[in-house]
Amino acid sequence: MKIYIDGKYLDERSAKVSVFDHGLLYGDGIFEGIRIYNGRIFKLQEHIDRLFYSAKAILLQIPLSHAELVKATVETCRKNKLREGYIRLIVTRGVGTLGLNPRSCKKPSVIIIADKIQLYPPAYYQRGLDIITVPTTRNLHSALNPAIKSLNYLNNILAKIEANNGGCEEAVMLNAEGFVAECTGDNLFIVKNGALFTPPLSAGALYGITRQTVIELAETAGLKVSEPNLTRYDLFNADECFLTGTGAELIPVVKIDGRVIGTGKPGKLTRKLEEKYHALTNASGEPIYE
Ligand code: PMP
């Protein structure tokens, strides 16, 4: 496997970063997770836009332009002859001293890994997930804005551990006010009386690219989509529930905190949107080989 690091395509064994990189020492950096379907990179422009927004929020100067990043990402996939897979794009603050001051880091590092990924086994898509609300709340906007896709994912990881301890794969994270924010690596949707609802981004969710894609697909299909604050009560009494994310795509949820959602089986609208999402991923994206 060839991995891009700062302009070079290195073998997996020699693709190494310094122990003084502040991405490692402090989680000082940002990343994106992107999918490749059918020899094309899905929503590449949107992911690179979001990377630049994260960079701006943490005052990190990405050493490549938008177009150069697109080119390097496509080239990494090409060198690995990937037609289906997952890309991890990382920008770290770079090598510095042991002190946390980012001023000691003279040059940010860009890393691109293109590999395979499978988030959940197929059975979970067939029967739906059982998820729980966890005690760890989503980061406050005023502390570390959840819109920043930073290398510090401890907030999400703690919630994931709590979900695992409770025998579940995914956690519902509330914000400090008790409204639903999102899951540890996915946005959350519910269906009620034929309409879609998802927490507003201001509730503490990542600006999910799959979330946006699903909103657009639903609206095109004539469904009403709104973004009100949601409580656990709203989730328990939903007709359907599903999660969205680049890795997970759309995955149905059939139980939350022991409450059966709707019929206890993946819902009809969830299935319809899943189908539309797969049709789109198979038919669009930045071509790698043309
Ligand atoms: N929320 C969080 C916390 C995430 O890490 C992700 C990405 N895995 C998402 C939501 C989904 O975002 P996207 O659809 O852009 O992958």
Side-chain angles (χ1 to χ4, degrees):
M1 189 198 306
K2 293 284 182 197
I3 294 165
Y4 174 99
I5 303 186
D6 298 329
K8 295 197 183 85
Y9 294 92
L10 303 168
D11 283 330
E12 198 177 328
R13 269 183 305 144
S14 42
K16 301 240 163 67
V17 291
S18 164
V19 292
F20 290 99
D21 192 308
H22 279 210
L24 173 71
L25 290 175
Y26 296 109
D28 187 355
I30 50 173
F31 76 101
E32 279 298 319
I34 313 170
R35 281 291 275 269
I36 312 154
Y37 294 101
N38 204 13
R40 283 187 290 240
I41 308 175
F42 189 60
K43 302 274 177 193
L44 179 58
Q45 303 291 336
E46 288 83 347
H47 281 283
I48 291 184
D49 282 346
R50 188 171 66 185
L51 188 77
F52 274 91
Y53 297 146
S54 294
K56 183 142 194 187
I58 70 161
L59 286 116
L60 175 67
Q61 192 70 41
I62 298 180
L64 298 177
S65 68
H66 195 292
E68 285 167 337
L69 263 182
V70 167
K71 219 171 135 205
T73 307
V74 170
E75 191 52 31
T76 307
C77 297
R78 210 176 271 154
K79 287 205 186 303
N80 290 293
K81 299 188 172 60
L82 276 177
R83 292 198 66 82
E84 308 288 332
Y86 180 87
I87 303 160
R88 177 56 54 92
L89 198 50
I90 304 154
V91 187
T92 75
R93 189 76 68 180
V95 174
T97 61
L98 284 182
L100 71 81
N101 197 333
R103 258 190 264 163
S104 72
C105 307
K106 300 300 176 213
K107 200 168 85 42
S109 261
V110 179
I111 301 165
I112 309 172
I113 311 166
D115 199 1
K116 302 259 176 250
I117 191 176
Q118 193 192 17
L119 233 77
Y120 294 118
Y124 290 179
Y125 290 86
Q126 282 147 25
R127 58 168 193 257
L129 285 178
D130 174 357
I131 64 177
I132 48 170
T133 312
V134 295
T136 296
T137 55
R138 200 78 181 92
N139 281 327
L140 287 173
H141 290 106
S142 51
L144 177 60
N145 197 318
I148 302 168
K149 208 166 162 57
S150 89
L151 290 181
N152 193 322
Y153 248 49
L154 268 182
N155 183 226
N156 315 53
I157 289 165
L158 288 176
K160 187 73 145 185
I161 290 169
E162 288 162 354
N164 290 342
N165 284 346
C168 290
E169 289 289 326
E170 211 7 320
V172 176
M173 297 184 78
L174 307 179
N175 62 22
E177 285 179 282
F179 291 114
V180 177
E182 60 175 344
C183 291
T184 66
D186 298 304
N187 291 106
L188 181 145
F189 282 80
I190 56 170
V191 177
K192 183 76 180 171
N193 298 329
L196 253 69
F197 301 87
T198 188
L201 297 168
S202 59
L206 184 77
Y207 291 29
I209 288 165
T210 320
R211 174 187 185 275
Q212 187 55 37
T213 306
V214 167
I215 290 174
E216 287 163 17
L217 286 173
E219 286 177 340
T220 307
L223 298 170
K224 195 166 169 288
V225 186
S226 50
E227 304 177 28
N229 269 322
L230 297 173
T231 63
R232 291 169 71 225
Y233 171 90
D234 299 314
L235 307 191
F236 299 155
N237 290 295
D239 300 328
E240 302 180 24
C241 178
F242 62 88
L243 313 181
T244 63
T246 295
E249 304 175 318
L250 264 81
I251 185 155
V253 171
V254 292
K255 212 185 231 186
I256 305 176
D257 297 335
R259 279 80 161 181
V260 171
I261 306 304
T263 62
K265 295 219 164 66
K268 274 205 190 90
L269 273 179
T270 303
R271 289 297 193 218
K272 189 170 151 187
L273 288 165
E274 260 185 281
E275 215 173 278
K276 287 184 183 296
Y277 187 74
H278 290 141
L280 190 70
T281 57
N282 276 326
S284 57
E286 182 86 19
I288 300 172
Y289 303 103
E290 288 152 24

